[in-house]
Amino acid sequence: NFMLTQPHSVSESPGKTVTISCTRSSGSVASYYVQWYQQRPGSSPTTVIYEDNQRPSGVPGRFSGSIDSSSNSASLTISGLKTEDEADYYCQSYDNSNQGVFGGGTKLTVL
Amino acid sequence: EVQLVESGGGLVQPGGSLRLSCAASGFTFSSNWMSWVRQAPGKGLEWVANIKQDGGEKYYVDSVKGRFTISRDNAKNSLYLQMNSLRAEDTAVYYCARGGVFYYSWGQGTLVTVSS
């Protein structure tokens, strides 16, 4: 199996842009879609990015996803930060074994 | 609107059993892979198991193989997780999710506590 590594925490000011990275340990990040989930305290996760860079309806355009084959990583970028964006963010992918794998999660603080 | 409503959680002693249920609505249940994902208190998300549309394929995380069984009833739009030989480390909120290897929708979760 493989692992997805995220920074434990990031912080940024309202109105700024923040990027959260997610590095895949083995297997090509380009071969398997990456998803990003937002989890606010006390709530269930919600999907903010699926299939690397697609936004579900209702997710603001301030959220974007990308992958970088050279570093075998994915990124979630949130621009125009709002206090409501403060949450835990998890990347997630899979491999040919049909098993999902989550990153350890990144706590975003907007201060 | 997609809705996933879990039930069946509670307090159980180590070695005991519990059956979780998930009632689905707002989408064509029989056309979707379904999954269970759990989250231990203060910890991250962990995929537990998934099941194909017709129930013909099932996959489990290594830590629950031989103890947990995922199943579904497409006539009732319902997903299940039978959990046997429960351990303290199985204590978590268990989420039902639409999707097999990625998750479009999530339920509100049901808490399972394994303790004597």
Side-chain angles (χ1 to χ4, degrees):
Chain A
N1 236 343
F2 67 97
M3 292 172 44
L4 295 172
T5 301
Q6 302 178 231
H8 182 69
S9 63
V10 296
S11 62
E12 191 49 271
S13 303
K16 300 291 189 179
T17 297
V18 70
T19 297
I20 299 172
S21 62
C22 171
T23 301
R24 183 170 177 131
S25 63
S26 62
S28 171
V29 72
S31 297
Y32 306 94
Y33 287 127
V34 176
Q35 286 58 241
W36 290 90
Y37 307 99
Q38 176 192 69
Q39 187 177 33
R40 295 190 174 107
S43 296
S44 305
T46 62
T47 306
V48 293
I49 294 290
Y50 67 97
E51 294 180 1
D52 296 340
N53 54 20
Q54 301 300 303
R55 276 180 291 108
S57 59
V59 173
R62 302 184 295 106
F63 289 79
S64 63
S66 63
I67 61 168
D68 180 356
S69 295
S70 65
S71 59
N72 213 35
S73 64
S75 295
L76 173 68
T77 299
I78 310 171
S79 60
L81 274 170
K82 300 184 176 184
T83 55
E84 69 202 47
D85 298 331
E86 191 161 288
D88 293 328
Y89 290 85
Y90 295 89
C91 64
Q92 179 266 321
S93 191
Y94 54 98
D95 61 14
N96 290 336
S97 67
N98 269 313
Q99 301 186 17
V101 173
F102 288 90
T106 299
K107 182 178 178 60
L108 170 62
T109 302
V110 182
L111 37 65
Chain B
E1 179 195 1
V2 172
Q3 280 205 310
L4 298 167
V5 180
E6 301 93 337
S7 60
L11 174 64
V12 61
Q13 292 188 338
S17 298
L18 217 49
R19 188 194 196 209
L20 306 183
S21 300
C22 170
S25 62
F27 65 100
T28 306
F29 181 76
S30 58
S31 297
N32 283 262
W33 279 78
M34 295 295 295
S35 299
W36 287 98
V37 176
R38 67 184 177 183
Q39 186 171 35
K43 302 296 185 182
L45 300 170
E46 179 184 39
W47 169 81
V48 174
N50 59 20
I51 184 169
K52 196 178 178 181
Q53 290 91 330
D54 62 359
E57 291 182 41
K58 305 174 185 181
Y59 300 91
Y60 301 91
V61 68
D62 285 348
S63 60
V64 309
K65 282 179 183 175
R67 300 188 299 123
F68 290 12
T69 302
I70 189 172
S71 62
R72 64 191 296 162
D73 185 337
N74 287 341
K76 295 182 177 179
N77 287 346
S78 292
L79 177 72
Y80 306 101
L81 187 67
Q82 177 66 43
M83 304 186 295
N84 299 330
S85 302
L86 282 161
R87 306 167 180 167
E89 54 265 36
D90 295 319
T91 294
V93 173
Y94 284 74
Y95 296 102
C96 167
R98 180 168 72 106
V101 291
F102 46 91
Y103 318 109
Y104 302 99
S105 314
W106 300 70
Q108 86 289 348
T110 186
L111 175 63
V112 172
T113 303
V114 184
S115 175
S116 55

